[in-house]
């Protein structure tokens, strides 16, 4: 088993630097420059995982991001472990510890492999068909499915790595560092354009950089040498930024692209410390050049998924780039010329290909001639019909194709092998092009979807093989010519370039290769990761699925983490063949971002923990912290919730606070309320139009409560607005509604009533608000502002005074949200904590008690005052809230007025706000609990729900607000609140529980 | 994510803006004279078409100005932006 399949080759791999790593616990060695896949192959390890559904042994199949099988779990640290990593992409580093996924107990002995033998019972749509009934069994099925499905394991602890986001703006972004990308980057940089070149590999040059074949020459030198010089020359351009290990994730409209740069995944664990792991680039490019290349297609025949079956071009890369033989007895199976390049590369590295099976009748291209001259054996017009070997391919069987290619003829002949290279032609990587909104066209000639130049979004171009150009001369010449017009170049440094390359003329394509066995007895895999076969696709068609999108979902073809990069074209081809449709008419499935999976870390970047969202703190926040407040999040604000003393719980603290506020005095930081400064000659008219009540007659120095509706008549926000001057008001909004109210007001001002002379300025942060309430509030205020006449005559309820506290200007409003005699001091925020402390000192002798939002809510509920957003939910009119008194019926118009007498809003059986008292005064209802009348008549009719509920220490009983159908008419009615373990009896009451006559306001 | 040419600030990223729905729906001058159906037409009915659409946009994280935009919803191409009160420059 443990063999060294490395040949001595130092071009790209540093064979002087040995790296040790572990795979499934086994200690192995590779070299610097290896990927995990190349290092495993050098150790003769092909079997790396099990397939998703049948748990079939699977091996490394490719050498890039299209890899469907070789996905591994990296590490086992609960924070750092990384699932679903493609072995073909991860670079080897000292100490790398990888293990197989989707197998238990081990990749060599996997219990789930039994599914393979049950596969006749697991056809396409098996899960849909089997687990849908009976519905009550779902929970049992789910357990089974979750334990047998799934790929890697997620980390169980939070990710300690650092991730970054970076914005970038450039003239030209080149995606892909193969030969066409290099030419593009140089042309752009040469023109002086600010250029970024990104490539997902650690090296530039794509597949040309290791193309040593003498058949390919540019300006008389081998194409790989020519390209190496070009790459070297890129260093001379300071306006060119090259980003290796950077994979383009998404191409959005207006040339907005996301790319993920891997910064540390190739370093040893020690070298990573303190470094950013991945950076998400958010690039806005004036022009985008897509040079994303193409990937090789597999061939579809029975048992084409065994470990040791590898794409032919990948075998070539493993030998030419990594110096790794993928086997010692290799054969190839092809429908085109490129497999012959692989054969020649292997031959030159001392591996003689046993046999090349070619479905074509012949080929007279240079490259084939060269292979034949080397004495390689070709079986023309033949196909592989089956393979053998469980954990590694052992042999394959070949038959002659019939003339039309629909059948096989003659006898099977068997060939031994330990590796079979397959080459089904090339698929341009058009994912990014389609993501950006481009439309594809089908080229019948060689069965490829390529960008339609007439349906390409502006300011982008596809060049090279992703544009369907596969011959070196076409790639280079067309890239240069197309870029000259795309970048408006009159000439280029490449003018007069001379290219020699072989020409492939012979073409043959068979999507599903024929077999001597009926399809039911074969296993021709299409999607290797999701285990869907050509059989499944045909079954889906028989069952009536027609749309490619439906077939895809039903069979799960193309739905793995590789998004069907290898499988899509064959699935389409088989559908087209079976249904007799042209592939161009069939179209493709939609390619969605990301092109390759992104980590959550890269997506969120630094926006984690305390940076996840803004935190707003009032100017008095530090005092609250010092005084042990428990905080509540209200939008982005941190508000004191309650101030526990001596180990009190919330209930105890709230009972104490609310008792103190009514018995003597309480103090609240109300700074988070929204404050909007309104000025202009039409300010009064403006308020008339946005509030339901009348404002033009409000005297200067007076305050008024206002209710704001949406145009649909539903309550939107509320608060007190004060008239500071003839043309000057200050409006308060709810804490949560501040920003929305401002933008709504701006909207009406700018779009509906531009004739009004009104200016709005938010001053929420500029002013802090300290609210002091309770029977002793007047005495406390008198100590702070001794010069101010606080008599009811001079300073009545709902009025305001300009005054000074210690030479600092402030506005004091006498308004109340608790029903107590109370004042709100508005002061510039930088003095707020100081004034708060002064209040506390002045209030000491009156037991002035700081309280938080919970007590505030309780106190206002005792008075039946609503909280918009808690007692309302956007479906209640003022009338539903029993607030008809606030509607200015004589007003010509205000926002929402017309909606108040729509047929729906005047219904009498709407849900309306009521009070609730429980039969047992100690029983506190749960907010959100449902209200019903009759629990015996089923289905039980829901009449409404509880919106606010508290135990009132001042009334010594439980109180609640609720919305109930026809609630206004139901005063005194008994209803039931059904809870999980009991039914609670309640009675509908008035919404005001405390001080119905409002005597305390002037107490 | 598109780039929007705010008529007051110039080109800015879409993240700075918020969309306010269909444009050129004027609030009725005398809502009280409308029938329920007419009022509902103003209140609720909005077009949502694939193709050229007239929209209101607000430079919410910028100058806070409202303006109008002509956008092809099928490809997000912005054909024109113009200030409130101005006539649409394209049909
Ligand atoms: Zn602007």
């Amino acid at each position: 088993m443990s063999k060294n399949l490395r040949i001595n080759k130092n071009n790209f791999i540093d064979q002087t630097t040995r790296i040790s790593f572990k795979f499934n616990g086994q200690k192995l060695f590779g070299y610097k420059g290896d990927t995990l896949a190349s290092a495993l192959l050098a150790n003769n390890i092909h079997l790396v995982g099990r397939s998703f559904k049948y748990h079939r042994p699977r091996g490394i199949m490719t050498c890039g991001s299209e890899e469907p099988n070789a996905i591994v779990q990296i590490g086992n640290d609960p924070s750092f472990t990384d699932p679903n990593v493609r072995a073909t992409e991860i670079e080897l580093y000292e100490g790398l510890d990888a293990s197989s996924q989707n197998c238990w107990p081990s990749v060599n002995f996997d219990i789930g492999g039994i599914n393979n033998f049950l596969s006749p019972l697991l056809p396409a749509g098996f899960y849909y068909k089997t687990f849908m009934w009976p519905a009550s069994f779902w929970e049992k099925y789910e357990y089974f499915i979750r334990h047998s499905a799934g790929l890697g394991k997620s980390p169980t602890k939070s990710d300690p790595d650092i991730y970054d986001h970076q914005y970038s703006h450039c003239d030209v972004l080149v995606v892909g560092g193969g030969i066409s990308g290099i030419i593009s980057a140089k042309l752009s940089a040469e023109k002086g354009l600010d250029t970024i070149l990104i490539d997902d590999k650690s090296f530039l040059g794509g597949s040309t950089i290791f193309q040593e074949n003498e058949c390919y020459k540019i300006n008389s030198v081998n194409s790989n040498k020519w390209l190496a010089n070009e790459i070297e020359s890129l260093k001379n351009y300071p306006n060119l930024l090259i980003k290796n290990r950077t994979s383009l994730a998404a191409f959005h409209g207006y040339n907005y692209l996301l790319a993920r740069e891997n910064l540390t995944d190739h370093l040893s664990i020690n070298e990573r410390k303190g470094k950013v792991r991945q950076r998400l680039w958010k690039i806005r490019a004036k022009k985008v050049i897509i040079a994303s290349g193409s990937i090789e297609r597999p061939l579809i025949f029975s048992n084409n998924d065994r470990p040791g079956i590898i794409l032919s071009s990948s075998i070539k890369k493993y030998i030419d780039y990594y110096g790794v033989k993928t086997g010692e007895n290799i054969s190839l199976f092809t429908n085109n010329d490129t497999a012959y390049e692989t054969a020649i590369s292997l031959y030159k590295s001392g591996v003689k290909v046993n046999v090349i099976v070619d479905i074509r009748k012949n080929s007279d291209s240079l490259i084939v001639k060269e292979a034949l001259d080397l004495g390689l054996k070709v079986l023309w017009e033949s196909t592989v019909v089956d393979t053998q070997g469980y954990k590694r391919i052992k042999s394959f069987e070949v038959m002659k194709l019939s003339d039309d290619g629909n059948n096989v003829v003659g006898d099977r002949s068997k060939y031994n092998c330990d590796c079979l290279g397959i080459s089904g032609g090339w698929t341009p990587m058009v994912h990014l092009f389609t993501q950006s909104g481009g439309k594809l066209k089908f080229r019948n000639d060689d069965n490829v979807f390529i960008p339609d130049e007439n349906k390409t979004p502006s300011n982008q171009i596809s060049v090279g093989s992703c544009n369907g150009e596969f011959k070196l001369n076409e790639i280079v010449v067309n890239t240069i010519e197309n870029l000259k017009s795309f970048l408006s170049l009159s000439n280029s440094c490449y003018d007069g370039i001379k290219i020699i390359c072989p020409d492939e003329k012979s073409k043959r394509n068979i999507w599903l290769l024929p077999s001597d066995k009926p399809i039911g007895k074969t296993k021709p895999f299409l999607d290797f990761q999701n285990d869907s076969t050509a059989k499944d696709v045909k079954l889906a068609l028989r069952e009536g699925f027609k749309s490619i999108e439906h077939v895809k979902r039903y069979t799960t073809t193309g739905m793995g983490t590789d998004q069907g990069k290898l499988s899509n074209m064959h699935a389409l081809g088989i559908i087209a063949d079976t249904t007799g449709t042209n592939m161009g008419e069939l179209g493709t499935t939609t390619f969605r971002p990301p092109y390759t999976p992104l980590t959550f870390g890269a997506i969120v970047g630094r926006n984690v923990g305390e940076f996840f969202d803004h935190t707003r703190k009032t100017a008095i926040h530090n005092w609250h912290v010092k005084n042990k407040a428990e905080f509540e999040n209200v939008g982005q604000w941190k508000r004191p919730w309650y101030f526990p003393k001596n180990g009190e719980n919330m209930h105890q603290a709230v009972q104490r606070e609310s008792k103190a506020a009514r018995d003597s005095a309480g103090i609240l930081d109300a700074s988070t309320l929204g404050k909007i400064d309104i000025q202009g000659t039409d300010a009064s008219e403006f308020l008339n139009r946005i509030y339901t009540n009348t404002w033009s007659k409000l005297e200067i120095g007076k305050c008024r409560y206002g209710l704001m509706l949406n145009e649909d008549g539903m309550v939107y926000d509320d608060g007190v607005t004060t008239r500071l001057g003839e043309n000057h008001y200050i409006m308060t909004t709810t804490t949560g509604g501040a920003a929305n109210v401002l933008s709504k007001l701006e909207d009406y001002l700018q779009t509906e009533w531009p004739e009004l002379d009104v200016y709005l300025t938010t001053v929420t942060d500029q002013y802090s608000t300290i609210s002091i309430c309770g029977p002793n509030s007047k005495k406390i205020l008198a100590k702070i502002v001794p010069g101010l006449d606080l008599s009811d005559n001079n300073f009545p309820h709902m009025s305001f005074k300009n005054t000074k506290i210690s030479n600092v200007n402030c506005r004091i409003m006498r308004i109340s949200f608790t029903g107590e005699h109370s004042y709100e001091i508005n002061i510039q925020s930088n003095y707020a904590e100081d004034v708060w402390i002064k209040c506390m000192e002045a209030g000491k002798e009156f037991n002035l008690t700081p309280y938080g939002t919970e007590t505030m809510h309780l106190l206002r509920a005792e008075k039946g005052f609503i909280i918009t957003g808690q007692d309302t939910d956007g479906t209640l009119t003022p009338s539903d809230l029993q607030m008809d008194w606030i509607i200015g019926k004589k007003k010509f118009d205000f926002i929402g007025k017309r909606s108040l007498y729509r047929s729906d809003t005047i219904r009498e059986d709407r849900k309306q706000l009521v009070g609730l008292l429980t039969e047992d005064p100690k029983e506190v209802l749960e907010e959100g609990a449902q209200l019903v009348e009759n629990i015996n008549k089923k289905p039980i009719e829901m009449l409404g729900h509880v919106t606010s509920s508290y135990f009132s220490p001042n009334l010594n009983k439980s109180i609640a607000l609720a919305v109930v159908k026809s609630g206004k008419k139901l005063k005194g009615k008994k209803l039931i609140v059904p809870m999980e373990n009991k039914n609670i009896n309640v009675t509908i009451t008035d919404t005001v529980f405390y001080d119905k006559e409002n005597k305390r306001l002037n107490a | 994510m598109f780039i929007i040419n705010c008529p007051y600030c110039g080109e800015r990223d879409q993240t700075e803006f918020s969309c306010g729905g269909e444009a050129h729906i004027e609030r009725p001058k005398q809502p009280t004279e409308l029938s329920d159906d007419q009022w509902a037409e103003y209140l609720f009915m909005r077009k949502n078409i694939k193709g050229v659409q007239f929209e209101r946009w607000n430079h919410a994280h910028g100058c806070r100005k409202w303006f109008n935009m002509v956008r092809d919803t099928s490809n997000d191409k912005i054909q024109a932006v113009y200030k409130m009160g101005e006539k649409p420059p394209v049909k």
Side-chain angles (χ1 to χ4, degrees):
Chain A
M1 189 69 182
S2 181
K3 271 183 202 161
N4 187 1
L5 294 178
R6 187 82 64 167
I7 58 163
N8 189 21
K9 206 164 187 185
N10 263 320
N11 304 7
F12 303 99
I13 299 298
D14 176 8
Q15 293 199 14
T16 59
T17 311
R18 224 160 79 117
I19 290 176
S20 74
F21 70 101
K22 270 190 190 167
F23 181 66
N24 287 335
Q26 188 187 358
K27 192 168 180 184
L28 300 162
F29 293 95
Y31 295 111
K32 193 163 173 53
D34 263 328
T35 60
L36 175 60
S38 68
L40 287 172
L41 291 170
N43 286 281
N44 200 26
I45 294 173
H46 281 252
L47 171 60
V48 285
R50 293 275 176 161
S51 67
F52 188 68
K53 193 159 131 196
Y54 304 129
H55 292 249
R56 281 168 71 101
R58 289 282 164 80
I60 297 158
M61 207 181 156
T62 72
C63 57
S65 65
E66 70 272 31
E67 176 60 38
N69 293 337
I71 45 182
V72 297
Q73 183 96 23
I74 302 293
N76 47 27
D77 181 281
S79 305
F80 287 105
T81 188
D82 212 354
N84 304 336
V85 175
R86 283 171 295 280
T88 51
E89 288 196 302
I90 185 152
E91 294 171 53
L92 206 63
Y93 57 84
E94 186 62 39
L96 172 73
D97 182 359
S99 48
S100 298
Q101 298 183 162
N102 199 31
C103 53
W104 185 84
S106 81
V107 70
N108 275 300
F109 178 74
D110 174 22
I111 283 177
I114 193 100
N115 283 4
N116 186 31
F117 300 106
L118 297 176
S119 65
L121 307 174
L122 297 169
F126 168 73
Y127 289 101
Y128 299 119
K129 287 168 182 161
T130 308
F131 296 119
M132 293 310 288
W133 50 264
S136 58
F137 267 43
W138 170 247
E139 281 176 25
K140 291 184 183 72
Y141 291 142
E142 190 186 12
Y143 178 85
F144 166 73
I145 291 171
R146 292 213 188 283
H147 280 76
S148 59
L151 294 167
K153 290 187 182 68
S154 300
T156 49
K157 288 194 177 164
S158 67
D159 186 348
D161 274 322
I162 310 166
Y163 300 83
D164 242 3
H165 285 181
Q166 183 156 347
Y167 287 89
S168 184
H169 300 260
C170 61
D171 294 323
V172 175
L173 173 70
V174 182
V175 184
I179 187 164
S180 50
I182 299 294
I183 291 171
S184 304
K186 184 160 173 176
L187 287 173
S188 170
E190 181 73 32
K191 162 121 182 170
L193 297 169
D194 192 5
T195 307
I196 301 176
L197 168 65
I198 65 168
D199 188 86
D200 58 355
K201 306 229 164 31
S202 59
F203 63 94
L204 291 176
S207 59
T208 311
I209 201 69
F210 54 87
Q211 176 60 278
E212 289 166 13
N213 198 297
E214 299 277 336
C215 293
Y216 297 91
K217 290 210 186 305
I218 301 177
N219 289 343
S220 314
V221 294
N222 272 12
S223 57
N224 61 330
K225 298 225 168 67
W226 180 87
L227 186 58
N229 281 330
E230 288 305 298
I231 293 170
E232 190 59 28
S233 75
L234 295 181
K235 289 180 183 154
N236 302 327
Y237 299 101
N239 54 327
L240 172 63
L241 176 68
I242 300 173
K243 284 279 157 202
N244 281 115
R245 300 187 175 98
T246 303
S247 147
L248 203 94
F251 189 164
H252 297 295
Y254 288 68
N255 283 355
Y256 179 69
L257 301 98
L258 297 176
R260 184 249 299 123
E261 182 182 14
N262 259 331
L263 294 152
T264 63
D265 281 359
H266 61 291
L267 301 176
S268 70
I269 305 294
N270 282 335
E271 292 169 299
R272 295 180 188 186
K273 292 216 170 82
K275 293 186 181 132
V276 172
R277 183 188 175 203
Q278 294 177 343
R279 180 168 292 138
L280 189 69
W281 288 81
K282 302 178 174 187
I283 304 167
R284 188 73 82 166
K286 291 198 182 111
K287 285 173 188 280
V288 176
I289 300 169
I290 307 176
S292 50
S294 52
I295 57 172
E296 194 168 24
R297 294 175 187 168
L299 289 164
I300 311 304
F301 52 97
S302 188
N303 291 310
N304 57 345
D305 66 325
R306 301 195 190 279
I309 299 180
I310 308 182
L311 295 180
S312 145
S313 61
S314 297
I315 295 178
K316 183 177 188 303
K317 184 171 180 186
Y318 284 119
I319 193 79
D320 283 345
Y321 186 90
Y322 299 103
V324 172
K325 296 185 280 186
T326 50
E328 290 172 307
N329 182 12
I330 302 176
S331 284
L332 299 171
F333 180 24
T334 186
N335 68 4
N336 68 96
D337 278 356
T338 45
Y340 293 83
E341 291 176 18
T342 305
I344 294 164
S345 282
L346 286 168
Y347 186 89
K348 287 181 178 163
S349 299
V351 186
K352 194 175 170 203
V353 168
N354 187 19
V355 61
I356 301 174
V357 183
D358 196 323
I359 70 167
R360 297 176 297 175
K361 291 184 169 126
N362 57 58
S363 169
D364 56 2
S365 90
L366 265 180
I367 202 97
V368 175
K369 259 196 194 106
E370 191 188 344
L372 293 170
D373 289 348
L374 294 172
L376 297 178
K377 186 178 171 192
V378 180
L379 302 173
W380 295 107
E381 223 184 340
S382 298
T383 180
V384 175
V385 288
D386 206 351
T387 67
Q388 291 82 32
Y390 187 53
K391 291 176 199 164
R392 175 86 177 257
I393 186 168
K394 276 191 225 154
S395 56
F396 61 93
E397 290 171 305
V398 178
M399 288 180 85
K400 215 59 180 154
L401 277 168
S402 66
D403 238 20
D404 59 6
N406 290 335
N407 293 294
V408 282
V409 292
D411 295 323
R412 288 185 172 207
S413 45
K414 194 166 189 165
Y415 296 84
N416 289 334
C417 72
D418 61 359
C419 174
L420 176 66
I422 50 175
S423 175
W426 295 84
T427 300
M429 287 288 90
V430 292
H431 295 60
L432 297 174
F433 171 79
T434 56
Q435 275 184 25
S436 75
K439 296 277 179 282
L440 300 170
K441 63 179 180 189
F442 188 69
R443 194 165 68 194
N444 282 303
D445 224 29
D446 53 352
N447 296 293
V448 289
F449 282 102
I450 53 172
D452 186 337
E453 62 275 17
N454 298 320
K455 290 171 184 167
T456 301
S458 48
N459 293 315
Q460 67 157 282
I461 190 169
S462 293
V463 296
S465 62
C466 72
N467 195 34
E469 286 144 13
F470 298 117
K471 290 178 202 159
L472 184 68
N473 56 342
E474 281 176 9
I475 290 172
V476 174
V477 172
N478 292 351
T479 298
I480 295 166
E481 284 314 306
N482 292 341
L483 282 190
K484 277 166 92 170
S485 83
F486 184 66
L487 298 175
S488 314
L489 312 170
S490 51
N491 51 28
S492 87
C493 50
Y494 294 120
D495 288 351
I497 196 162
K498 287 195 176 60
I499 296 140
I500 299 169
C501 65
D503 195 7
E504 172 172 347
K505 289 181 193 124
S506 168
K507 287 188 171 36
R508 189 172 201 183
N509 186 67
I510 302 171
W511 293 115
L512 173 59
L513 291 153
S515 168
D516 53 342
K517 285 187 181 166
I519 187 162
K521 300 256 191 255
T522 63
K523 278 186 183 140
F525 282 91
L526 271 180
D527 185 324
F528 297 86
Q529 195 176 95
N530 271 346
D531 266 357
S532 67
T533 65
K535 257 192 309 200
D536 294 322
V537 168
K538 289 195 170 226
L539 176 67
L541 293 171
R542 275 207 307 280
E543 291 187 357
F545 290 93
K546 288 192 182 109
S547 148
I548 170 70
E549 296 284 359
H550 290 159
V551 172
K552 167 180 162 174
R553 280 157 184 78
Y554 191 58
T555 61
T556 71
T557 303
M559 289 176 71
T561 58
D562 58 344
Q563 289 201 24
K565 291 186 181 77
L566 290 184
S567 60
N568 277 342
M569 285 305 293
H570 297 89
L572 288 169
I574 290 166
I575 294 171
D577 284 352
T578 311
T579 58
T581 324
N582 179 287
M583 279 182 76
E585 289 160 33
L586 206 58
T588 65
T589 55
T590 313
F591 302 110
R592 292 195 174 83
Y595 177 66
T596 51
L598 281 176
T599 58
F600 283 111
I603 293 167
V604 298
R606 301 270 171 135
N607 304 321
V608 290
E610 62 176 317
F611 297 120
F612 179 69
D613 196 7
H614 299 276
T615 302
R616 300 177 77 182
K617 295 169 181 168
T618 74
I620 310 163
H621 186 81
N622 288 341
W623 189 93
H624 303 321
V625 173
K626 265 182 246 157
N627 288 274
K628 309 266 183 328
E630 289 292 327
F631 288 91
E632 179 185 26
N633 293 327
V634 183
Q636 292 170 328
W637 286 104
K638 293 273 172 206
R639 294 199 72 177
W641 195 6
Y642 56 97
F643 290 85
K645 262 189 182 173
N646 310 321
E648 284 173 332
N649 62 22
M650 179 165 105
H651 176 74
Q652 292 162 334
V654 169
Q655 297 291 303
R656 172 181 52 75
E657 289 170 13
S658 43
K659 196 103 180 60
R662 295 242 188 263
D663 288 352
S664 179
I667 182 167
L668 173 82
D669 180 359
S671 307
T672 62
L673 290 178
K675 295 174 271 291
I676 301 170
D677 185 276
I678 302 172
Q679 300 193 40
T681 51
D682 294 316
S684 302
E685 171 61 18
F686 180 63
L687 290 173
N688 271 338
R689 295 186 191 186
I690 58 159
Y691 276 133
T692 60
N693 46 354
T694 309
W695 289 79
S696 34
K697 285 175 195 151
L698 184 69
E699 287 170 44
I700 294 169
K702 290 282 162 61
C703 316
R704 182 166 285 172
Y705 174 77
L707 206 55
M708 205 180 283
L709 310 184
N710 264 329
E711 205 68 273
D712 62 6
M714 304 303 156
V715 172
Y716 178 72
D717 204 80
D718 67 343
V720 170
T721 294
T722 303
R723 189 165 196 173
L724 302 174
E726 175 64 28
N727 299 320
H728 192 187
Y729 291 83
I730 185 146
M731 169 190 283
T732 40
T733 72
T734 58
T735 297
N740 292 338
V741 168
L742 180 68
S743 67
K744 181 183 157 104
L745 301 187
E746 277 287 357
D747 187 354
Y748 274 93
L749 264 184
Q750 288 180 33
T751 66
E752 298 293 353
W753 309 318
E755 72 279 7
L756 293 186
D757 175 41
V758 176
Y759 302 90
L760 306 173
T761 312
T762 170
V763 291
T764 304
D765 292 309
Q766 284 72 12
Y767 289 100
S768 291
T769 305
I770 299 166
S771 170
I772 301 176
C773 76
N776 285 319
S777 58
K778 192 169 169 180
K779 291 176 197 156
I780 295 167
L781 194 67
K783 285 172 75 177
I784 302 164
V785 279
L788 188 64
D789 176 2
L790 295 181
S791 67
D792 284 347
N793 249 350
N794 181 55
F795 197 178
H797 182 57
M798 295 308 267
S799 66
F800 107 98
K801 295 288 174 206
N802 268 322
T803 181
K804 284 186 182 200
I805 299 177
S806 312
N807 291 324
V808 181
N809 287 322
C810 67
R811 294 173 184 148
I812 301 180
M813 280 84 168
R814 191 175 157 193
I815 51 181
S816 176
F817 190 44
T818 60
E820 294 298 318
H821 188 127
S822 72
Y823 300 93
E824 283 190 2
I825 304 168
N826 284 275
I827 190 146
Q828 238 175 288
S829 283
N830 36 352
Y831 299 103
E833 189 177 359
D834 191 45
V835 171
W836 175 278
I837 291 167
K838 278 198 169 63
C839 294
M840 289 305 296
E841 281 163 4
K844 216 168 197 171
E845 57 177 304
F846 304 103
N847 184 32
L848 178 63
T849 300
Y851 65 92
T853 48
E854 194 62 22
T855 293
M856 173 185 85
H857 287 181
L858 191 161
L859 294 172
R860 64 87 206 179
E862 288 176 340
K863 289 293 298 173
F865 295 149
I866 58 157
I867 291 189
T868 55
Q870 176 165 342
D871 301 298
T872 71
D873 59 1
T875 66
L876 297 171
T877 66
S879 180
D880 296 339
L881 295 168
Q882 309 214 33
M883 291 173 80
D884 302 76
W885 53 269
I886 204 166
I887 308 293
K889 294 205 174 61
K890 287 181 199 149
K891 279 167 72 174
F892 172 69
D893 193 13
F894 55 82
I895 295 173
K897 182 177 185 191
R898 175 62 186 84
S899 290
L900 294 181
Y901 55 93
R902 290 175 53 230
S903 57
D904 186 56
T905 44
I906 54 172
R907 271 191 302 120
E908 290 195 351
D909 62 344
R910 291 178 62 82
K911 284 187 182 171
Q912 291 149 355
L913 188 78
V914 296
L916 289 182
L917 287 174
T918 47
E919 196 176 72
D920 172 2
K922 295 242 160 356
E923 183 86 66
V924 181
L925 298 171
E926 263 186 47
E927 287 171 1
Q930 295 289 323
L931 287 155
V932 304
E933 185 179 4
N934 187 343
I935 52 169
N936 297 318
K937 194 180 146 232
K938 291 184 180 161
I940 301 173
E941 193 192 358
M942 306 292 182
L943 298 177
H945 67 274
V946 179
T947 60
S948 294
S949 171
Y950 308 90
F951 186 83
S952 161
N954 302 302
L955 297 157
N956 198 28
K957 65 182 175 193
S958 153
I959 56 166
L961 297 172
V963 288
V964 178
K965 260 188 194 174
S966 312
K968 283 191 218 174
K969 289 193 292 193
L970 297 179
K971 208 190 260 187
K973 177 137 187 119
K974 292 199 186 320
L975 294 177
I976 298 165
V977 177
M979 298 303 289
E980 203 174 352
N981 302 315
K982 60 184 167 186
N983 295 320
I984 304 169
N985 295 320
V986 296
T987 308
I988 292 184
T989 67
D990 190 19
T991 54
V992 185
F993 300 97
Y994 188 76
D995 184 27
K996 289 187 204 253
E997 301 79 28
N998 289 329
K999 283 181 186 157
R1000 302 183 64 88
L1001 281 176
N1002 294 314
Chain B
M1 258 201 306
F2 26 108
I3 291 177
I4 296 171
N5 190 6
C6 170
Y8 303 93
C9 307
E11 289 190 344
R12 295 290 190 279
D13 198 282
Q14 186 195 339
T15 49
E16 295 184 13
F17 298 83
S18 60
C19 181
E22 192 182 344
H24 303 296
I25 296 177
E26 205 181 332
R27 189 173 188 274
K29 290 270 180 291
Q30 297 192 314
T32 45
E33 294 186 358
L34 300 182
S35 69
D36 268 13
D37 283 351
Q38 288 169 318
W39 178 245
E41 183 69 28
Y42 158 72
L43 199 55
F44 301 121
M45 298 308 179
R46 296 293 182 273
K47 284 182 198 138
N48 184 17
I49 46 175
K50 183 177 178 180
V52 177
Q53 191 153 283
F54 295 76
E55 297 170 335
R56 289 153 24 92
W57 282 77
N58 181 225
H59 195 180
H61 299 282
C63 63
R64 293 199 0 225
K65 284 281 195 186
W66 284 90
F67 57 90
N68 291 321
M69 188 196 281
V70 187
R71 180 174 68 106
D72 188 332
T73 58
S74 69
N75 56 19
D76 281 341
K77 275 204 181 115
I78 297 169
Q79 303 186 350
V81 288
Y82 52 102
K83 294 178 180 174
M84 280 294 160
E86 289 179 357
K87 284 240 147 43
V90 288
K91 277 185 187 167

